[in-house]
Amino acid sequence: MTLKQRLLTLILIDSAIVLFSIYICSLILTAGSSPVTEVIVASSIVLLLVHHLCAYKFKLYKRAWEYASITELKAIVYAVSISIVAAGLTQLIFFQDFYARTLIMTWMMHVILIGGSRMSWRVYKDTYITNKKDGKRTLIIGAGSAGTMIARQLKQDKDTTLTPVGFIDDNFTKHGLEIMDLTVLAGTKDVQEVVNDKKVEHIIIAIPSLSKIDLNRIVKLCTDTNVKTQILPRMEDLVLGSVQVSQFKDVEVEDLLGREPVELDVDGIAEYITGETILVTGAGGSIGSEICRQVARFSPNQLILLGHGENSIYSIEMELRRNLPDLNIDTEIADIQDKEKMNLIMQKRKPHVIFHAAAHKHVPLMERNPEEAVKNNVIGTRNVAEAADLANVNTFVMISSDKAVNPTSVMGATKRIAEMVVQHMDMISDTRFVAVRFGNVLGSRGSVIPLFKDQIKNGGPVTVTHPDMVRYFMTIPEASRLVLQAGSLAEGGEVFVLDMGEPVKIVDLAKNLIRLSGFSEEEIPVEFTGMRPGEKMFEELLGDDEVHSEQVYPMIYRGKTLRVDINLVIKEIDSYKYKRPEELRRIILDTANSRKEKVELSV
């Protein structure tokens, strides 16, 4: 039925109900003796006109009645009440009479018939149209508004393969109650018992307000049942009423990160990004591309994407142009090891802020290729930093790593030396130079999550280097937000780090991923392979000589500024071409771990 046909049908139904009700009520109250009087005729005309005006006002003809609830019933009551009052006023003003009993009965009959005409469609649809074969027996965690919405949707969608069998909720006052003809069975601690008793084949977590810690707890209880568990995607989908069955998503490890995400100081970030030219190096990488997405939200005057790989730069450029057609975007395909090209680009573009995300980051690869780590992470960073100084850039934010603290790997050592370069540049330049240290970034290229997923997909085993190895973790968007926030907090020379909560055991991460993938540890075993060259058992975010105890922003700490003899550092590093890999590796690590040149500055 088209919208016009539907509108015409509802108008005709309502017109018949309005006219029928007042004449029938009048007939009943006069015992069948001449109910059609001037007063009744005038009242019926007023009722008809005012009812349609109110129906338009309260959108009675535009509502989807198959999803009718208390809100729709209230709209009917308002429309009917106003039209009855208008009819009563007409009787008093023009006829000096008032048929109170007739109007009260008419009001009741209007509400019953108009409401019934709408609800009958929902009853018919629920009973006959959406009648479907039994699907997977589904348990809904959460008997609140989101859970109720999901239950209604599963019951009404004839194409879904899921059939709700009950709710689980920790609010004990709801236990035993029925919602959408489904019983609230127990609390989350009894999930295993309910799954066994109700023969549950599927679980949906429908509590969008859950904290990360509570979500982690509930997911563990659900995955221990070996039943597939899914979760609602985003809070805004519920607010907009756009949740569909197809939007349920599998629980990801990122969802279980045991810490609430950092919230941005939007005004502070907008102040130094909005209306300015922003340049991102390594813009095609995991972190660099997400920084571009975050920066784009703040309406820069121009966003420059600089990278060495043309395919990755093309990919993020097309994504941004598709999603933000009004954003002024340009690209530079260049290698940060090319000092002359960096100078040319900075002089041409004159960026206000540079986010330096270009780097080699894979620990085992850099152990085997130390000269490449030096060229990219140290010399490349120096090239970009010096070019930024010559171009009078306002703020330079370098992406570093927790592996730069007391480094044992070539990658970590080169990142620490790059921090030294940046801190030295801050001392001699008007540009504000800062660094931001990350823990491991979930889902980034080369991280353990994609590796574990591939191993699970191939039937295992999942390989972990050591049962006691721990790491700090954060998500890609959270890492990128930290970068932007650091730029607004920068005074110059700082190393910013995030309060990343408790470190996570890699073996626990692997086991979680196995369970979330629907397997047991018997099906996909975990194997320990031994620590690789350059790896540490645990990572640190700040060295003992760098710690400031106070937070400069909620969940963000600032390391102390350290003076280094950069000329000595660069002299050693610039001779990398003439060193054997083993010798170069020793020099890099000795330089990064040296404390002789360091003198703490007041900050």
Side-chain angles (χ1 to χ4, degrees):
M1 185 182 294
T2 66
L3 180 61
K4 287 184 178 180
Q5 290 172 333
R6 184 176 181 276
L7 181 63
L8 181 60
T9 300
L10 289 175
I11 289 174
L12 291 174
I13 290 173
D14 282 7
S15 298
I17 289 172
V18 168
L19 295 176
F20 171 79
S21 297
I22 190 167
Y23 285 117
I24 289 297
C25 291
S26 178
L27 181 65
I28 292 172
L29 291 172
T30 59
S33 58
S34 303
V36 182
T37 64
E38 289 183 353
V39 179
I40 296 300
V41 171
S43 298
S44 65
I45 293 171
V46 172
L47 275 174
L48 195 61
L49 291 175
V50 177
H51 174 82
H52 288 314
L53 287 174
C54 289
Y56 175 79
K57 170 68 176 176
F58 295 111
K59 301 180 180 179
L60 295 185
Y61 299 144
K62 289 188 175 181
R63 296 179 183 268
W65 293 99
E66 58 267 36
Y67 304 110
S69 62
I70 296 297
T71 303
E72 284 69 31
L73 182 59
K74 285 167 63 177
I76 291 172
V77 171
Y78 291 152
V80 171
S81 298
I82 292 172
S83 61
I84 292 294
V85 169
L89 290 173
T90 300
Q91 293 176 2
L92 284 172
I93 294 171
F94 294 101
F95 299 98
Q96 289 75 52
D97 202 351
F98 184 59
Y99 289 23
R101 291 192 302 165
T102 302
L103 291 176
I104 291 172
M105 284 188 65
T106 303
W107 180 89
M108 294 172 61
M109 192 167 287
H110 277 192
V111 171
I112 293 170
L113 294 179
I114 292 174
S117 68
R118 303 308 199 266
M119 297 298 178
S120 61
W121 169 245
R122 176 173 172 177
V123 172
Y124 174 78
K125 185 174 184 293
D126 287 349
T127 305
Y128 299 104
I129 297 179
T130 62
N131 186 29
K132 59 179 185 291
K133 296 179 180 179
D134 289 339
K136 289 184 179 179
R137 296 175 62 80
T138 302
L139 181 66
I140 300 173
I141 308 287
S145 56
T148 303
M149 182 186 299
I150 298 310
R152 179 182 295 119
Q153 187 173 322
L154 293 178
K155 281 173 165 285
Q156 293 176 343
D157 190 341
K158 63 181 179 181
D159 295 322
T160 184
T161 59
L162 307 178
T163 299
V165 295
F167 292 98
I168 285 282
D169 199 287
D170 283 333
N171 184 350
F172 71 92
T173 62
K174 293 183 179 180
H175 294 177
L177 299 180
E178 289 201 355
I179 301 172
M180 299 292 299
D181 295 328
L182 301 172
T183 303
V184 182
L185 300 163
T188 53
K189 63 182 178 61
D190 300 313
V191 166
Q192 182 70 67
E193 183 181 339
V194 172
V195 165
N196 295 337
D197 183 51
K198 293 292 183 180
K199 297 181 173 54
V200 172
E201 302 171 278
H202 197 98
I203 298 175
I204 295 173
I205 300 174
I207 315 176
S209 59
L210 272 178
S211 67
K212 298 283 186 180
I213 294 174
D214 286 337
L215 178 61
N216 207 332
R217 175 181 62 83
I218 292 174
V219 167
K220 187 177 188 309
L221 289 170
C222 293
T223 53
D224 285 345
T225 67
N226 294 323
V227 172
K228 183 175 177 61
T229 301
Q230 291 188 301
I231 190 171
L232 294 182
R234 297 178 304 171
M235 181 66 167
E236 50 264 39
D237 292 330
L238 295 175
V239 174
L240 296 172
S242 59
V243 173
Q244 301 295 326
V245 173
S246 59
Q247 289 178 299
F248 296 154
K249 72 184 187 74
D250 294 338
V251 182
E252 302 285 350
V253 174
E254 289 88 337
D255 297 319
L256 306 181
L257 191 63
R259 182 189 61 255
E260 298 305 314
V262 173
E263 296 298 327
L264 290 178
D265 172 15
V266 174
D267 293 336
I269 294 173
E271 186 176 342
Y272 83 102
I273 288 181
T274 301
E276 303 289 354
T277 297
I278 311 297
L279 186 145
V280 181
T281 72
S286 304
I287 299 298
S289 60
E290 183 61 28
I291 290 174
C292 292
R293 296 182 191 99
Q294 300 277 352
V295 166
R297 295 170 48 202
F298 292 93
S299 303
N301 179 57
Q302 187 177 39
L303 178 58
I304 311 297
L305 315 179
L306 187 152
H308 193 210
E310 59 174 329
N311 291 331
S312 58
I313 292 295
Y314 174 80
S315 177
I316 183 62
E317 180 191 11
M318 290 300 101
E319 176 189 327
L320 292 173
R321 290 192 187 282
R322 180 175 63 253
N323 296 333
L324 298 162
D326 295 330
L327 181 65
N328 182 6
I329 305 172
D330 209 346
T331 60
E332 293 282 358
I333 302 300
D335 190 339
I336 61 173
Q337 297 175 36
D338 188 338
K339 182 175 182 177
E340 185 177 349
K341 183 67 179 287
M342 290 302 104
N343 285 327
L344 287 172
I345 290 173
M346 298 307 168
Q347 293 300 322
K348 177 176 70 171
R349 299 296 188 178
K350 296 290 183 182
H352 182 72
V353 179
I354 294 175
F355 294 106
H356 178 47
H360 286 327
K361 63 179 183 178
H362 298 288
V363 172
L365 287 177
M366 293 305 102
E367 288 300 302
R368 297 193 293 271
N369 299 277
E371 69 284 355
E372 294 303 318
V374 170
K375 285 194 291 184
N376 213 49
N377 294 356
V378 179
I379 295 174
T381 296
R382 183 181 64 175
N383 291 341
V384 179
E386 290 178 348
D389 172 45
L390 292 174
N392 297 314
V393 171
N394 180 271
T395 305
F396 181 102
V397 183
M398 171 200 152
I399 313 303
S400 188
S401 166
D402 57 1
K403 293 176 177 60
V405 183
N406 299 320
T408 58
S409 67
V410 168
M411 193 283 280
T414 54
K415 286 304 244 181
R416 175 62 196 128
I417 296 170
E419 289 179 357
M420 295 178 183
V421 170
V422 167
Q423 290 176 314
H424 171 75
M425 289 300 301
D426 185 73
M427 296 175 189
I428 64 174
S429 172
D430 291 332
T431 298
R432 292 181 299 174
F433 286 87
V434 299
V436 184
R437 283 182 190 159
F438 296 147
N440 292 266
V441 179
L442 289 169
S444 63
R445 296 169 194 168
S447 72
V448 294
I449 302 301
L451 172 62
F452 287 168
K453 285 182 177 179
D454 283 343
Q455 291 176 334
I456 292 169
K457 183 179 178 181
N458 293 325
V462 173
T463 57
V464 177
T465 54
H466 194 282
D468 296 325
M469 182 170 285
V470 295
R471 290 291 184 268
Y472 293 101
F473 283 99
M474 63 196 310
T475 63
I476 292 175
E478 190 175 17
S480 304
R481 286 196 294 267
L482 176 59
V483 174
L484 267 63
Q485 193 66 70
S488 70
L489 299 171
E491 296 177 2
E494 303 99 331
V495 176
F496 292 101
V497 297
L498 177 67
D499 178 3
M500 302 186 70
E502 294 299 318
V504 177
K505 274 193 172 185
I506 302 298
V507 66
D508 290 343
L509 196 65
K511 290 177 179 178
N512 269 337
L513 201 56
I514 290 170
R515 286 199 301 267
L516 292 175
S517 300
F519 297 100
S520 66
E521 291 176 45
E522 288 73 27
E523 295 171 302
I524 305 289
V526 174
E527 283 188 4
F528 298 104
T529 58
M531 293 176 63
R532 298 174 297 182
E535 281 191 324
K536 294 195 292 185
M537 190 69 72
F538 62 93
E539 301 290 359
E540 305 160 272
L541 293 171
L542 285 171
D544 293 338
D545 55 355
E546 298 176 307
V547 176
H548 268 303
S549 58
E550 74 276 8
Q551 297 181 356
V552 293
Y553 187 80
M555 299 178 71
I556 297 179
Y557 289 90
R558 180 187 61 187
K560 294 178 181 178
T561 304
L562 301 171
R563 178 178 291 140
V564 297
D565 186 347
I566 197 64
N567 294 321
L568 179 61
V569 172
I570 294 301
K571 181 180 178 181
E572 290 282 3
I573 296 304
D574 277 343
S575 62
Y576 74 92
K577 294 180 181 177
Y578 311 106
K579 302 286 194 304
R580 295 189 305 276
E582 298 80 9
E583 184 182 3
L584 179 58
R585 184 178 184 278
R586 178 187 58 78
I587 291 172
I588 294 168
L589 288 167
D590 287 348
T591 303
N593 284 295
S594 174
R595 295 291 188 268
K596 290 185 294 184
E597 314 88 79
K598 295 182 181 179
V599 179
E600 180 183 325
L601 296 178
S602 60
V603 291

